[in-house]
Amino acid sequence: MGKFSSRYVCQQCGYESVGWLGKCPECGTWNSLVETVTSTNSKSESRNSKQGSKIINSKPVNLSDIKSADTKRISTKISELDRVLGGGLVPGQVVLIAGEPGIGKSTILTQIADKLGSVLYVCGEESANQVAIRAKRLEVKSKGIQMLEDTDVDSIINTIDSIQGVTLNAVIVDSIQTMTTSDLSGMAGSVGQVRECANRLLHAAKERNIPLFLVGHVTKEGTVAGPAVLAHIVDTVLWFEGDKTLTTRILRAVKNRFGPTDEVGVFQMEDKGLVPVDDLEKAFLEKGIKNISGSVVTSVMQGTRPLLVEIQALVVPTKLAIPRRIAQGIDSRRLELLLAVLTRRCGLPMYDHDVFVNVAGGLKVTEPASDLAICLAVASSYYDKSISGKIIAVGEVGLLGEIREVVAQDKRLKEARRMGFSEAISSAKYKFVSETIKILRR
Ligand code: TYD
Ligand code: MG
């Protein structure tokens, strides 16, 4: 890499500087200069020397002549992960697993390593010993996992090539924020380092047709380069979500060049690692508790799957001038809006009541399809009248208090019927929220 040197390049206007500057002298943007590797040759020279002959000789190929329509998939043998990936890994696929520290990224990767057999596990964050302790806890059986304590990408790529006699089924890099290349002077975790290291690893994986997993930490402050910098480089971005105080973890595909996006895999974090949850309702429905007011079941789409979740509400009188609205798992502004609809259109005096709403199981619900269930749960708690456990509510609520049909409504209701819900409250039967609240009085 001797002929490369580093420069700071403005991400807005392309201005180049030798040192880091807080503000770009060209376009005036703050903190836009990112350390980048540049060739010491002039741009045109380097292009000619590296790819010139290729450019002249490149020829288009007729699409119908390309035979690799069927992508070979490698199963990870973890059902929920395969589902999120769209049927398994593709050779050379680069997967970014992003999530908050402590959510379970290293755990799932150790489990993946166990299932895939021959794997190079690069631990930049923990010592090989720490990973070994985790592997013991997870009862890892594979004898083919090679551990590598290294943070220099160029040396890691050399190591990949030097492992003779075994074909690696995957390379795992935990985490990309700890990786560096000596061609850049920035610290590990800086935008320049993260981007360059990911690029080099990606090219190495693609050239050798080895699937590559990168771990990316999500940081709230955004000071350290996170998954946002990498999302466009990699093939697949999987977000690991969940409330760390609870056991349910959700793996969500937010980008996937080889499969569907928005597909989710659900896991439970147990003593011996992450266990795929096939019976989703078990995770999100509090089945044991019946006939208590403030609980309504709704259906949210998770990728292609309708998922039944329970919305819980608690409404209590308050003397506060500004009553409290506390929402967990739903947008608090959406809750404010729905409470305003309940006050104005249904005559529920929410202005002198504190309202707490929670989605059971730690799931985050962003769909408006849960509006009706939220309204009914609040009303149920207010009247202290329980709603039968056999009822499901699905619908978006408008400002006029009307119930709107939602995407894939039939699919959701069909799945609910299959799960034993005998009555559906939706736009098919009711026009306004106020009509549905009358159910509570019957
Ligand atoms: P970890 O995979 O280290 O998180 P990350 O790599 O995303 O930072 O997992 C962290 C948490 O998971 C830790 O608090 C302990 C818990 N855990 C279990 O509950 N069961 C297990 O079998 C393992 C390995 C971890
Ligand atoms: Mg970790």
Side-chain angles (χ1 to χ4, degrees), residues 9-23:
V9 179
C10 175
Q11 301 298 291
Q12 295 292 328
C13 66
Y15 174 84
E16 279 189 31
S17 139
V18 193
W20 188 83
L21 300 168
K23 187 177 173 182

Side-chain angles (χ1 to χ4, degrees), residues 290-291 297 387-392 420-422:
K290 283 191 183 124
N291 300 329
V297 175
I387 290 187
S388 156
K390 298 259 174 251
I391 293 181
I392 178 158
F421 287 82
S422 52

Side-chain angles (χ1 to χ4, degrees), residues 19 50 64 92 97 153 170 218 221 240 259 264 279 282 298 327 351 358 364 404 413:
K50 277 179 85 186
S64 57
I97 298 196
V153 270
V218 180
E221 317 80 52
F240 219 168
V264 297
D279 181 6
K282 233 188 220 166
T298 187
Y351 45 80
N358 178 31
K364 280 198 183 69
R404 298 206 194 119
L413 298 183

Side-chain angles (χ1 to χ4, degrees), residues 100-107 121 125-126 134 174-175 215 217:
E100 283 177 32
I103 201 80
K105 300 181 293 297
S106 304
T107 306
Y121 195 114
E125 211 149 86
E126 298 161 301
R134 181 184 297 116
D174 188 359
S175 67
V215 169
H217 288 300

Side-chain angles (χ1 to χ4, degrees), residues 11 92-96 176 191-204 206 212 214 225-237 255 257-258:
Q11 301 298 291
Q93 180 173 9
V94 180
V95 182
L96 172 71
I176 190 66
V191 178
Q193 285 283 13
V194 165
R195 210 168 55 180
E196 186 59 30
C197 291
N199 244 321
R200 289 187 186 186
L201 287 165
L202 179 135
H203 285 294
K206 297 263 176 227
L212 168 70
L214 300 175
V229 179
L230 299 173
H232 64 284
I233 310 178
V234 299
D235 298 314
T236 305
V237 181
K255 170 186 173 176
R257 285 189 186 141
F258 301 114

Side-chain angles (χ1 to χ4, degrees), residues 290-295 313-314 377 379-387:
K290 283 191 183 124
N291 300 329
I292 297 183
S293 64
S295 154
L314 185 64
S380 159
S381 175
Y382 174 74
Y383 290 117
D384 197 16
K385 283 266 174 72
S386 68
I387 290 187

